[in-house]
Each structure stands twice: as structure tokens, then as C-alpha cells.
Amino acid sequence: MAATPPRTPFLGLPPWPERQAVARALRTETVGGLVLLAAAVVALVWANTPLSDAYTTIRDFHFGIPALGLDLSVGHWTSDGLLTVFFLVVGIELKREMVVGSLRTPATAALPVIAAVCGMAVPAAFYAVTVAAGGGSRDGWAVPMATDIAFALAVLAVISTHLPTALRAFLLTLAVVDDLVAILVIAVFFTSDLNHWALAGAIAGLVVFYMLQRQRVRGWWWYAPLGVAIWALLYNAGIHATVAGVAMGLILRTVRDRDEEESPAERTGRLLHPLSAGLCVPLFALFAAGVSVSGDALGKVFTTPEPLGVIVGLVAGKTLGIFGGTYLAARFTRARLNPDLAWADVLALAALAGIGFTVALLIGELAFPGTAAVGEHVKAAVLIASLTAALLATLLLRRRNAVYRRLSEKENLDADADGIPDIYQRTEADGA
């Protein structure tokens, strides 16, 4: 009788190369998240002071090239333009996860993908049920689907938790899959009347981009103008221009050639990640998070079905969706939870994923473009839900911080000072 194969460890110690890649990504995102928090606070204060008219004037100021269909407001330049850089980095990270990371095999991809999908489907369902009960609009069903990894990591930095690498890597993978699904939702459900000629031009540009990669053509002067052209064509095609970022990120080559120190994806990600996290996303937040927080406005957030649905979706839907999806996936597959951790840790991580700041605000703008009042209430709901999720996650994570500190010290111990934690060398010796 054949022996039963061992169950796959879930939230176990990641391989050393994977841990290094995750650490680099999370380091930048954490710093960017702190800048993002600062930008959101500035936006809220600015929009609720006597200088609020100046805020509105700057946000709505138009500039660009009208002849090319690019006469946009400052707010639209940040959401349609700067966020493209953010989604380019997302596409690069997703490609890395699919080629060399936790999504490279079905066995390792199953849990984070199932968790991410459930963490998007359940909030959308909660929103739909809430607005149906209140007689509201279902147009905002996609708003509570998104997780903001930078904001979440900033919360971790502020509360000084010693979260193990495996939990941080799981959160990063969740957010990457989450962002991919979000951009697909934007492309499919929030596309205006298509300009087929512009779309054909954008597709042709992506084909050229792909061929340049295949032919190993190097030099930013080839790719930067081509990328801007693809972005402009997609915008004029009626598709949200941030889709261009993900598409180009997925095309960039991830595997190094023998004569390369970095692949094109690694090099581009290293250069653009700080720009995205430290400038592009905070500037978007600055011009998207400036909403009224008067007593009347806050009251309508909890009495109007659309913003209430967003809060229920992000706080309750995200937590239950991710935790339930992860538990059921582990229960019915060969995965077993790392014995050093508990399901309470997954629950805390699920609550943290309810922070849906950047992409949720973007989808809120797209879902309610002609209804200013509802759109502003939905923005306020995203802010309130994200703050609530952050506080809930803080309570859950701080309760387990002693455990996290012990695990963190164990996985970072480097007694021989060779730059590689001893736990990896012991693991390799045991495997040998």
C-alpha cells in the first residue's frame, strides 16, 4: 500500500531567495505606506479647513494636450496617469510571483489565490445584500473588493509588530492577486464606449513591447516613449489607462540571461517601486482622500446604503472572505498550518486586508462618476472602513505579538554573521 504523501506546510518558512525578494518589496511598501498615510491626513485636513476651496481648485485644474485627448484635471492625472506606474509595479510583482514565487506551482498558488478570490467575492456580496436591503445602487459592488498593501504595511510599522516573514509574504501575495483581479474588473466593467482604432493601436504597441523584450533590446529610450504611447492610446480607447501598466509589467522578462545581473523586470521594479510607493500613490491619495468629515456627512455614511455597503464589505466581508476561504482551502487540500502559528493569526491578517484605500478610492470614482454626493460618501466610507479594519487588526495582532517576536528572532538569528540566517543553513543541512 502506497504511503500517504506528507501534507504541504502552510505559512511555513519561505525559501531564502523568496524571502529576500519579499523583504525588498515590503521594505519599500512600508516606507511608501507611511508617506501614503501622511498624504491622506493632509488631504482630510486641507479639505476641511477654510482653504478647502484652494484644494478643490487645484484638484480640478485642467492641463494637457487637448489635440491628443489628454486634457485632464490634476485629480485625473494622478488617478489615470500616476497610478499607471503603481500598476506597472503590480504587474512586475505578479509576474515574479508566477515565475519564481509562491504562484509558480498550483500547489503553492492554491491557498493564496483561493483566499484572495474569496476575499473579493464575499465583500462584493455583502455590498450587494446591504444596498438591496436599503434600496441603493449596485454600481459600487467592486469598491470593497480591493486591499491596500502599502497602507496595511504602514499599520504594521506603526504598531511595531514582529510579524513573521511567512505572514508578510502571504499578505503580499494576497494583495498582488487582489490588484490583478481589481484591474480586470476595472477593464471589463468600467470601460466606456470603445474607440476600436485607439484600442488596436494600443494592442499593436504592446506587441512591439513584447517583441523588443524577446529580441533582448535594452535601453529605456525604447520603452519609455512606447509605454507612454500605449498608455495614451488605451486612455483614448475608453479603457482605464492603468490597465496599460499591468499589461507592460506582465510582458517584462523576469528570468535573467547569463550575462545579466538583473532581468528587465527586476531592474524596472527596483527603479520604479520607490517612485510608485513614495510619490505616485501618495499624490493620488492627496487628491482622492479630501472629503468632508462633518457630522452630517458622517451620518449619511451610515444611513445611505451605498457607503454603508462599502463599510460592511471591507470590514466584515474581507475578514470573513479571506479567513473562510483560507480555512476551507486548507481543510480540503493537503495543506497544514505551520505549527508555530494559529488560525487566529490568519484571522488577524484577514482583518488587516480590510484596508482598501488606494484601489477602493479609484473604483469608487469610476463607479459613481456622475453622482457627486454619493461618490463623496463612498470615499468617506472607504476611509472609515480602512481605519476600522486597521484598528481591528491592531487589536488582533498585538495580542499575538509575543509569539511573533519569538518567531522573528528565531528566523533572523545569524550567529556566524555570514549574512544568511542560521535557520536556513540548518534546514539545508537537515535536507542533505
Side-chain angles (χ1 to χ4, degrees):
M1 182 176 179
T4 303
R7 299 182 73 188
T8 306
F10 168 52
L11 295 179
L13 189 69
W16 177 238
E18 174 71 4
R19 175 176 163 175
Q20 290 177 299
V22 168
R24 286 193 296 269
L26 295 183
R27 192 180 304 114
T28 304
E29 290 287 4
T30 300
V31 175
L34 295 172
V35 179
L36 172 64
L37 285 176
V41 171
V42 169
L44 285 171
V45 172
W46 192 0
N48 289 276
T49 65
L51 296 175
S52 59
D53 288 344
Y55 176 85
T56 304
T57 299
I58 294 173
R59 184 192 62 193
D60 297 338
F61 177 76
H62 277 246
F63 69 95
I65 308 174
L68 298 179
L70 297 176
D71 183 22
L72 309 179
S73 68
V74 171
H76 279 126
W77 275 113
T78 59
S79 63
D80 291 48
L82 294 183
L83 277 194
T84 303
V85 179
F86 164 75
F87 278 109
L88 173 58
V89 173
V90 168
I92 291 171
E93 184 59 32
L94 177 65
K95 181 76 173 288
R96 189 196 67 80
E97 291 281 352
M98 293 171 63
V99 175
V100 298
S102 58
L103 301 180
R104 67 186 180 279
T105 63
T108 57
L111 270 168
V113 169
I114 291 172
V117 171
C118 291
M120 301 185 82
V122 174
F126 274 39
Y127 175 90
V129 170
T130 303
V131 298
S137 169
R138 293 192 294 270
D139 291 347
W141 61 273
V143 176
M145 293 173 65
T147 293
D148 193 308
I149 182 65
F151 204 142
L153 291 172
V155 171
L156 293 179
V158 169
I159 65 176
S160 299
T161 184
H162 298 77
L163 205 64
T165 302
L167 287 172
R168 292 177 184 268
F170 185 63
L171 179 63
L172 177 62
T173 305
L174 274 177
V176 168
V177 176
D178 191 299
D179 286 334
L180 173 66
V181 177
I183 202 69
L184 290 175
V185 166
I186 290 172
V188 174
F189 295 98
F190 296 102
T191 293
S192 56
D193 295 336
L194 279 176
N195 181 326
H196 293 91
W197 287 108
L199 179 59
I203 293 173
L206 289 171
V207 171
V208 173
F209 196 100
Y210 173 77
M211 294 305 299
L212 290 174
Q213 284 289 289
R214 285 292 299 271
Q215 298 299 319
R216 303 305 195 258
V217 175
R218 300 176 185 178
W220 64 267
W221 50 87
W222 292 98
Y223 295 99
L226 180 59
V228 171
I230 292 169
W231 172 84
L233 286 166
L234 269 182
Y235 178 84
N236 281 285
I239 297 174
H240 200 269
T242 51
V243 175
V246 172
M248 289 184 283
L250 290 173
I251 291 173
L252 282 170
R253 184 166 50 83
T254 303
V255 179
R256 305 175 192 175
D257 288 338
R258 291 184 178 180
D259 62 338
E260 290 181 322
E261 294 183 2
E262 294 178 303
S263 69
E266 289 174 318
R267 184 166 56 255
T268 305
R270 176 175 56 80
L271 293 173
L272 292 184
H273 206 160
L275 176 66
S276 168
L279 181 66
C280 297
V281 173
L283 278 177
F284 167 75
L286 180 64
F287 292 107
V291 297
S292 172
V293 291
S294 65
D296 179 61
L298 291 177
K300 288 183 178 178
V301 168
F302 293 97
T303 57
T304 306
E306 293 87 357
L308 182 59
V310 169
I311 293 176
V312 172
L314 279 173
V315 178
K318 273 289 185 183
T319 304
L320 295 176
I322 291 175
F323 179 81
T326 305
Y327 181 81
L328 291 175
R331 176 70 177 80
F332 293 104
T333 63
R334 303 208 60 79
R336 62 178 177 83
L337 185 64
N338 181 350
D340 290 327
L341 298 172
W343 283 107
D345 302 313
V346 180
L347 180 66
L349 212 62
L352 188 66
I355 298 173
F357 191 76
T358 304
V359 180
L361 288 174
L362 173 61
I363 296 178
E365 290 183 349
L366 298 175
F368 300 102
T371 50
V374 175
E376 289 297 298
H377 295 155
V378 165
K379 282 185 179 182
V382 170
L383 299 177
I384 293 170
S386 297
L387 179 60
T388 304
L391 292 175
L392 176 61
T394 297
L395 291 174
L396 295 172
L397 289 167
R398 292 296 294 177
R399 289 179 65 251
R400 297 273 295 169
N401 203 35
V403 176
Y404 300 151
R405 184 182 293 109
R406 175 175 55 82
L407 293 176
S408 180
E409 291 173 354
K410 178 181 175 182
E411 70 178 30
N412 288 299
L413 179 63
D414 184 17
D416 55 6
D418 64 350
I420 301 176
D422 298 342
I423 192 171
Y424 285 95
Q425 294 165 325
R426 287 200 301 270
T427 302
E428 290 174 3
D430 293 342

